[in-house]
Amino acid sequence: MNSYDVAVIGSGPGGYVAAIRAAQLGFKTAIIEKQSLGGTCLNIGCIPSKALLDSSHHFHDAKTHFKEHGIEIDEPKVNFAQMIARKQGVVEQTVAGIKFLMDKNKIDLYEGTGSFKDATHITITAADASTQEIEAKYTIVATGSVSSELPFAPCDGKRIITSTEALSLEEVPNHLIVIGGGVIGLELGSVYLRLGAQVSVVEFADRIIPGMDGALSKELTKVLKKQGMKFYTSTKVTAVENTGDQVTLKAEDKKGEEIVLEGDYALVAVGRRAYTGSLGLENVGIEVDERGRIKTNEHLQTNIPNIYAIGDVVAGAMLAHKAEEEGVLVAEQLAGQKPHINYNLIPGVVYTWPEVAGVGKTEEQLKEEGVDYKVGTFPFRALGRARASMDLDGFAKILADKNTDEILGFHVIGARAADLIAEGVTAMEFRASAEDLTRMSHAHPTFAEAIKEAALAATDNRPIHA
Ligand code: FAD
Ligand code: NAD
């Protein structure tokens, strides 16, 4: 039987990063994966969704912006099969990159389902049902999450689908009904909207992206409506039925009136839930919480001292970069180091266009916590760079403590917000004041100038270009 210092179950961004860091620190490391290296993120999540977002963005630009830029082309057409094939190519290259990293770091890969026999032994069952056992001093569980479903309308993979099927459709729908106006719903809804589908989003809350700063949600609603997306907020889905070639959704709005939508597909994007199936948690007595997430302490240690858990399978934001940070943290702890994660500074991004990104507190949270704060905003429309590229929508918004000027929240909706958010994370990690940002040179002309101007607005309302 092979023995390891560290075994990692699950090779998503949490698991494979934990394995690499453990190997870098000199641990003999194994990783166990039942499907494909890279987990949800690389295979059916972050990477394929961004590949389709980028392709559909190019198409949409060609249709709506090229003429004004002075580029004359015949009416562009979608070759959807090629778009899906390119997406799959990106996934395969990225997965191959992880295999390379496993080999380079001398991490042993076991293909199969890992299940605890006891606290130090894991049984691995391969696809052909053959089994083998390994011994591990420490185990890191990184088994991720799966799509949540509506109890009254289970996904059939044909007409009632999850993000997984939505990333590999064979046709652009005429009408895509999206249940859930969160990250997945808006990203994949944007893909198909840009490719010509009618897209209707049914959201239970009174606004889309309800976890993000309210001003960003309002602006995104406005811009996506302008692009043609339809929204039914404060609306409760009551039934979804596959009628063969179509799907029928029934819902109730806040006045209690019935809404009936007919579409080709209903994409269920109402969140994800932790996945622990076939891990054999009961064999070791690992505890889970009321939502099925593995319970851990602040060191990500389970109630069994040599077993840790990270990423989507534990509490917290279900984000790839959060899982990665946790993987590094556990490996470094095992090596005797004292790492720390500032969970308040895990940024959240929605890859619509314009992109939406936030870190730190939202204005709603500051109000609720009774914090004395000030706000500085700056519109992208006033940036030379935004006019040059025709990306005028959006703004940067900085929330700072009224007394100390420390930045408490950093929110951007606009072109390249996903990249701009890194400035907010850096500033806040170093506990910068809004004035600190105003005193740093921001290259001209860039979208990042909106950050400096919003900081100027927050400092004492003195933006230069507004
Ligand atoms: P996962 O990536 O889910 O990996 C878990 C792995 O464990 C899987 O490969 C699974 O097969 C394996 N496994 C499970 N049980 C066993 C077992 N018993 N034995 C062996 N292997 C097992 N996040 C972002 O930050 N940015 C994005 O842009 C983004 N886009 C997304 C788009 C979509 C459509 C979806 C669905 C998610 C997206 N996410 C995004 C979320 C992100 O994918 C997850 O937060 C991230 O993958 C979690 O990583 P993880 O390592 O915890 O688990
Ligand atoms: P989400 O939590 O972002 O959004 C779910 C939405 O569905 C919420 O707005 C919620 O109010 C709504 N909802 C819940 N039940 C409903 C119902 N019965 N009817 C109508 N609306 C309902 O979840 P998601 O979009 O499914 O994404 C899952 C996870 O994957 C998220 O935690 C997210 O962090 C992660 N993810 C991240 C990215 C990214 O970082 N860009 C992209 C995709 C997914």
Side-chain angles (χ1 to χ4, degrees):
M1 186 193 309
N2 290 333
S3 276
Y4 294 91
D5 299 316
V6 178
V8 181
I9 309 182
S11 72
Y16 85 73
V17 169
I20 292 174
R21 190 70 190 112
Q24 283 175 343
L25 290 163
F27 292 115
K28 189 179 177 206
T29 305
I31 193 161
I32 306 160
E33 173 54 58
K34 71 183 171 78
Q35 275 171 331
S36 172
L37 276 174
T40 303
C41 180
L42 270 61
N43 293 280
I44 49 165
C46 327
I47 298 301
S49 60
K50 267 79 253 177
L52 290 181
L53 278 157
D54 282 335
S55 296
S56 59
H57 188 93
H58 286 310
F59 175 69
H60 191 252
D61 258 358
K63 274 193 87 143
T64 55
H65 285 165
F66 273 21
K67 204 166 183 180
E68 203 172 333
H69 275 289
I71 306 165
E72 299 282 346
I73 53 167
D74 292 338
E75 186 64 20
K77 282 195 285 223
V78 174
N79 178 343
F80 192 55
Q82 165 59 19
M83 207 175 272
I84 294 285
R86 190 198 79 96
K87 178 247 354 172
Q88 207 47 40
V90 173
V91 167
E92 280 159 23
Q93 277 172 29
T94 316
V95 168
I98 304 300
K99 175 76 174 83
F100 168 80
L101 290 174
M102 294 300 105
D103 294 344
K104 184 168 172 259
N105 286 283
K106 300 189 171 44
I107 296 163
D108 288 348
L109 169 64
Y110 289 87
E111 291 174 307
T113 301
S115 179
F116 287 105
K117 184 177 172 201
D118 58 42
T120 49
H121 293 88
I122 301 166
T123 307
I124 300 156
T125 310
D128 63 4
S130 62
T131 60
Q132 60 182 313
E133 198 174 303
I134 62 168
E135 184 180 42
K137 191 167 169 200
Y138 298 106
T139 297
I140 303 174
V141 179
T143 49
S145 63
V146 292
S147 304
S148 296
E149 300 193 14
L150 295 169
F152 51 85
C155 293
D156 57 24
K158 296 190 172 77
R159 296 284 156 199
I160 307 173
I161 59 174
T162 68
S163 52
T164 304
E165 292 79 37
L167 288 166
S168 293
L169 290 180
E170 285 174 3
E171 57 184 10
V172 176
N174 290 315
H175 183 195
L176 175 68
I177 302 169
V178 177
I179 306 173
V183 207
I184 292 182
L186 298 179
E187 289 185 359
L188 294 179
S190 287
V191 165
Y192 290 107
L193 183 75
R194 294 169 189 169
L195 299 181
Q198 181 192 338
V199 175
S200 304
V201 177
V202 183
E203 166 60 52
F204 186 70
D206 60 359
R207 63 180 177 94
I208 58 169
I209 45 169
M212 297 190 85
D213 189 277
L216 273 59
S217 164
K218 202 166 157 193
E219 177 78 359
L220 185 65
T221 306
K222 194 177 88 191
V223 181
L224 291 179
K225 271 188 183 168
K226 209 165 62 183
Q227 291 174 15
M229 204 177 271
K230 277 196 88 170
F231 293 104
Y232 300 85
T233 49
S234 303
T235 299
K236 188 175 168 211
V237 178
T238 51
V240 191
E241 195 192 343
N242 175 344
T243 55
D245 291 347
Q246 291 273 297
V247 66
T248 305
L249 175 141
K250 289 187 182 157
E252 212 176 87
D253 70 12
K254 64 177 166 203
K255 291 183 209 133
E257 278 169 31
E258 189 177 61
I259 295 165
V260 180
L261 298 174
E262 302 263 340
D264 311 271
Y265 301 94
L267 164 61
V268 180
V270 296
R272 293 177 62 81
R273 61 182 172 79
Y275 177 75
T276 56
S278 64
L279 260 178
L281 294 183
E282 61 288 352
N283 298 339
V284 248
I286 294 176
E287 291 172 2
V288 297
D289 68 13
E290 68 296 343
R291 288 165 66 181
R293 301 174 298 194
I294 295 180
K295 274 198 207 171
T296 63
N297 61 17
E298 71 274 27
H299 303 292
L300 298 166
Q301 188 179 33
T302 69
N303 59 310
I304 307 300
N306 68 319
I307 301 176
Y308 292 75
I310 59 169
D312 281 12
V313 79
V314 302
M318 288 184 161
L319 295 172
H321 42 287
K322 178 259 194 187
E324 291 184 24
E325 295 303 328
E326 292 185 335
V328 169
L329 180 128
V330 170
E332 291 183 351
Q333 276 180 165
L334 295 179
Q337 299 181 9
K338 302 242 173 310
H340 171 73
I341 297 173
N342 185 347
Y343 283 98
N344 183 43
L345 296 189
I346 303 280
V349 176
V350 191
Y351 295 80
T352 46
W353 198 265
E355 292 171 340
V356 187
V359 66
K361 302 283 184 182
T362 63
E363 191 166 352
E364 292 74 22
Q365 284 170 327
L366 292 179
K367 274 194 185 131
E368 207 178 298
E369 291 169 17
V371 176
D372 213 6
Y373 68 91
K374 50 188 182 164
V375 190
T377 57
F378 190 82
F380 270 45
R381 187 165 291 279
L383 297 172
R385 183 63 206 269
R387 279 193 300 278
S389 74
M390 291 176 70
D391 290 302
L392 299 172
D393 292 315
F395 54 82
K397 172 174 176 178
I398 290 179
L399 299 161
D401 188 289
K402 203 164 195 170
N403 304 308
T404 65
D405 199 35
E406 180 176 350
I407 301 168
L408 303 175
F410 187 106
H411 307 278
V412 187
I413 173 165
R416 303 283 163 225
D419 297 294
L420 296 175
I421 200 65
E423 180 173 1
V425 178
T426 309
M428 291 176 72
E429 189 64 52
F430 287 95
R431 301 196 63 181
S433 64
E435 188 178 353
D436 286 334
L437 284 189
T438 72
R439 307 232 168 247
M440 293 174 193
S441 177
H442 287 64
H444 174 76
T446 57
F447 297 114
E449 286 172 292
I451 308 299
K452 178 170 176 153
E453 294 276 8
L456 279 164
T459 304
D460 49 12
N461 199 18
R462 53 181 176 87
I464 302 284
H465 293 92

